[in-house]
Amino acid sequence: MKPNCTNPEWIGRAKCAVCDVRNFVLFAGLSVPELDAILQPIDNLHAHAGAMLYEQGAPASSVFTVRSGLVKLKVDLPNGGQRIVRLLRPGDVVGLEALVGDRYHHSAIVLQDADICRIPREVVMRLDQTSPQVHQALLQRWQRSVDQADHFITALSTGSAEARMARLLIMLGCTVADSDFVFPSREDMGALLGITTETASRIIAEFRRRGLVHMDKGCYIGCDQHELSRLANS
Amino acid sequence: MKPNCTNPEWIGRAKCAVCDVRNFVLFAGLSVPELDAILQPIDNLHAHAGAMLYEQGAPASSVFTVRSGLVKLKVDLPNGGQRIVRLLRPGDVVGLEALVGDRYHHSAIVLQDADICRIPREVVMRLDQTSPQVHQALLQRWQRSVDQADHFITALSTGSAEARMARLLIMLGCTVADSDFVFPSREDMGALLGITTETASRIIAEFRRRGLVHMDKGCYIGCDQHELSRLANS
DNA sequence: GCGTGCGATTGACAATTGTCAATCGCCGGC
DNA sequence: GCCGGCGATTGACAATTGTCAATCGCACGC
């Protein structure tokens, strides 16, 4: 299957017991027997950049956990535009609204190739009732979504475009242990910051000229953390 | 006690059994005996505009429900400014982070005189475990916070200042059954929309000149819903 | 009644950002 | 190799928004 395909690729049944990010995600604290007791299938998906996990308004049947990669939550605006309201990384949970409503509130689209677990809502709802650890983890994940949304308001939607971009780069940079990190397109940056694609492009180009970020064909090389921080707090 | 005081005024112990908004709030579905079984005190507060329910970073010991009035959640920015990230009205729950963390994430300040119940976190945590209805209501409230935050991103932080203001007025207007509704200050409108106080003032003044909103000394009289909607979708 | 103070409004100007269009660079298909 | 397409960049200009300062209006205390 080609990269940039629209649908995630099914890899197999998830092996939660040996999952390397299990402790970060919903099922931390569950014993192996408890994991075995899950009847419905938890699927392990690999999704290329561009793949859509679900679409805004579609019936919500599953919750997802991100094991690697980067996922965006996008909302379509009445005037035809779109706004990205969340960036989700390993350890984050996607589509919690499936547990209390019957429709997804956003479109979830993969930004960087991702490994993702798809968990039927019934599984989570049952574990929520039977396992205090899962229950607590669920509340924490929900609060995490609120915190992330708040951060989008205060950091990525406040101040000058330049300051917002600096904060976005810092936010993205936090995840950069791997140097194969690829920047979002200028269009996505615009949708993240509530500015136009052209303004996003201008600012990035200017940052590069000023030596604040270094990249090669969109791939991250390095950045001036200190100067970016200064801009972010202006 | 004078209006605009800093602290809420204690009215008495809450009578949840006869609360007129109980069915909207956390304890819908609880029977009277179950309510009686609550050992710790749920206080009924009356707070004037300007009162602070809690401050960002303070130890989080209680969850609040809004029974009447209007409450804002404010965040202090590193550069000295501030941003309002939520507006809470009757039926909304404030300070849920108390259930999974030990600090409040915002400052909660009353915008319009409000009746508010203060519920110790232990009470909510216990009911969450013993009552499936409360548990479900809790998840729904959390999701509602996420939805409200998303709305702040997509509606109040996207597009031109004029369009944002139109959306804010529509948002505020939804609550206007009572004509004693008072508009937020221009400063608060600016903090709500991520624009300066002056720009907020200019837009409101222009709206009034164009007959889009009618007010008298800050009190709402009426508005041109149709034209506001047109601006909101532009 | 009369200052006083605070919030709202307005003006003038600068800076930022959006709009529209052209160009550039790169990658993949043929 | 060459062409076509797409995303990034840039230019020119208009529109919006921020900044700084002055003024206005109104409520409040004395």
Side-chain angles (χ1 to χ4, degrees):
Chain A
M1 199 180 279
K2 288 180 182 180
N4 244 350
C5 59
T6 310
N7 293 312
E9 182 183 354
W10 188 79
I11 294 296
R13 292 293 162 79
K15 301 184 181 66
C16 297
V18 297
C19 172
D20 51 340
V21 295
R22 178 162 67 99
N23 287 328
F24 300 117
V25 195
L26 275 180
F27 297 158
L30 280 190
S31 66
V32 173
E34 286 172 314
L35 285 171
D36 288 340
I38 296 173
L39 298 175
Q40 281 175 283
I42 295 177
D43 290 320
N44 189 0
L45 308 175
H46 185 75
H48 290 287
M52 187 180 301
L53 297 183
Y54 54 77
E55 192 166 8
Q56 183 176 2
S61 56
S62 298
V63 170
F64 301 81
T65 65
V66 181
R67 306 203 307 130
S68 75
L70 190 62
V71 175
K72 68 177 176 183
L73 294 190
K74 192 192 72 178
V75 171
D76 292 310
L77 303 173
N79 63 355
Q82 31 192 249
R83 183 81 202 252
I84 297 173
V85 298
R86 220 103 71 233
L87 283 181
L88 304 166
R89 306 112 143 319
D92 286 328
V93 176
V94 192
L96 280 178
E97 64 261 43
L99 302 180
V100 295
D102 57 354
R103 301 276 164 178
Y104 288 117
H105 294 185
H106 323 93
S107 297
I109 298 168
V110 174
L111 268 191
Q112 291 168 22
D113 292 8
D115 291 300
I116 290 174
C117 285
R118 180 175 55 202
I119 313 167
R121 51 184 284 182
E122 288 76 16
V123 171
V124 181
M125 292 169 93
R126 182 150 36 84
L127 286 172
D128 173 43
Q129 308 223 331
T130 57
S131 161
Q133 293 104 323
V134 170
H135 174 64
Q136 191 62 18
L138 207 52
L139 299 187
Q140 282 168 357
R141 295 298 145 176
W142 236 305
Q143 179 59 38
R144 180 167 169 77
S145 291
V146 175
D147 292 339
Q148 288 174 330
D150 285 346
H151 190 246
F152 262 68
I153 300 174
T154 57
L156 303 189
S157 305
T158 303
S160 70
E162 194 181 63
R164 296 185 201 183
M165 183 64 81
R167 297 188 199 113
L168 174 62
L169 293 182
I170 291 171
M171 191 179 179
L172 291 171
C174 293
T175 197
V176 176
D178 50 295
S179 68
D180 60 345
F181 173 79
V182 178
F183 278 99
S185 71
R186 304 299 173 263
E187 189 178 3
D188 276 339
M189 286 180 170
L192 282 160
L193 303 178
I195 61 179
T196 59
T197 305
E198 292 93 330
T199 298
S201 176
R202 265 185 251 272
I203 293 175
I204 286 290
E206 176 65 16
F207 277 10
R208 294 177 69 178
R209 279 188 287 265
R210 281 201 267 163
L212 297 186
V213 289
H214 306 279
M215 62 177 77
D216 181 58
K217 303 189 211 317
C219 288
Y220 175 86
I221 295 177
C223 69
D224 182 340
Q225 288 278 348
H226 185 268
E227 185 62 8
L228 281 182
S229 297
R230 203 186 57 75
L231 282 180
N233 292 325
S234 70
Chain B
M1 200 181 279
K2 288 181 181 178
N4 244 351
C5 58
T6 310
N7 293 312
E9 183 182 354
W10 188 79
I11 293 297
R13 292 291 163 79
K15 301 184 181 68
C16 297
V18 298
C19 172
D20 51 340
V21 296
R22 177 163 66 99
N23 288 327
F24 300 117
V25 194
L26 274 181
F27 298 161
L30 280 190
S31 66
V32 173
E34 284 173 315
L35 284 172
D36 287 340
I38 297 173
L39 296 176
Q40 280 175 283
I42 295 178
D43 290 320
N44 189 0
L45 308 174
H46 185 77
H48 291 285
M52 188 180 303
L53 298 183
Y54 55 76
E55 192 166 9
Q56 183 176 1
S61 57
S62 297
V63 171
F64 301 81
T65 64
V66 181
R67 307 205 304 131
S68 74
L70 190 62
V71 175
K72 68 176 175 183
L73 294 191
K74 192 192 72 176
V75 171
D76 292 310
L77 303 173
N79 64 354
Q82 31 193 247
R83 183 81 202 254
I84 297 173
V85 299
R86 221 101 72 232
L87 283 181
L88 303 167
R89 307 112 144 317
D92 286 329
V93 176
V94 191
L96 281 178
E97 63 261 44
L99 303 180
V100 295
D102 58 354
R103 301 278 165 178
Y104 289 117
H105 294 184
H106 324 92
S107 297
I109 297 167
V110 175
L111 269 190
Q112 291 170 22
D113 292 9
D115 293 300
I116 289 174
C117 284
R118 179 176 55 202
I119 314 167
R121 50 183 284 182
E122 289 76 15
V123 171
V124 181
M125 292 169 93
R126 182 152 34 83
L127 286 172
D128 173 44
Q129 308 224 330
T130 58
S131 162
Q133 292 103 326
V134 169
H135 174 65
Q136 191 62 18
L138 207 52
L139 298 188
Q140 283 167 358
R141 296 297 146 178
W142 237 304
Q143 179 58 38
R144 181 169 168 76
S145 291
V146 175
D147 292 339
Q148 288 174 330
D150 285 346
H151 191 246
F152 262 68
I153 300 173
T154 57
L156 303 189
S157 304
T158 305
S160 70
E162 193 181 64
R164 295 186 202 183
M165 183 65 81
R167 298 187 199 115
L168 174 61
L169 293 181
I170 290 172
M171 192 178 179
L172 291 171
C174 293
T175 199
V176 176
D178 51 296
S179 69
D180 60 345
F181 173 81
V182 178
F183 278 99
S185 72
R186 303 299 173 263
E187 189 178 2
D188 276 340
M189 286 179 169
L192 282 161
L193 303 178
I195 60 180
T196 60
T197 306
E198 292 94 329
T199 299
S201 176
R202 266 185 250 270
I203 292 176
I204 285 291
E206 175 64 18
F207 277 9
R208 294 176 70 178
R209 280 189 286 267
R210 282 200 265 164
L212 297 185
V213 288
H214 307 279
M215 62 177 77
D216 182 57
K217 303 188 211 317
C219 289
Y220 174 85
I221 296 178
C223 68
D224 182 340
Q225 288 279 349
H226 185 269
E227 184 62 7
L228 280 183
S229 297
R230 202 185 58 74
L231 282 180
N233 293 325
S234 69

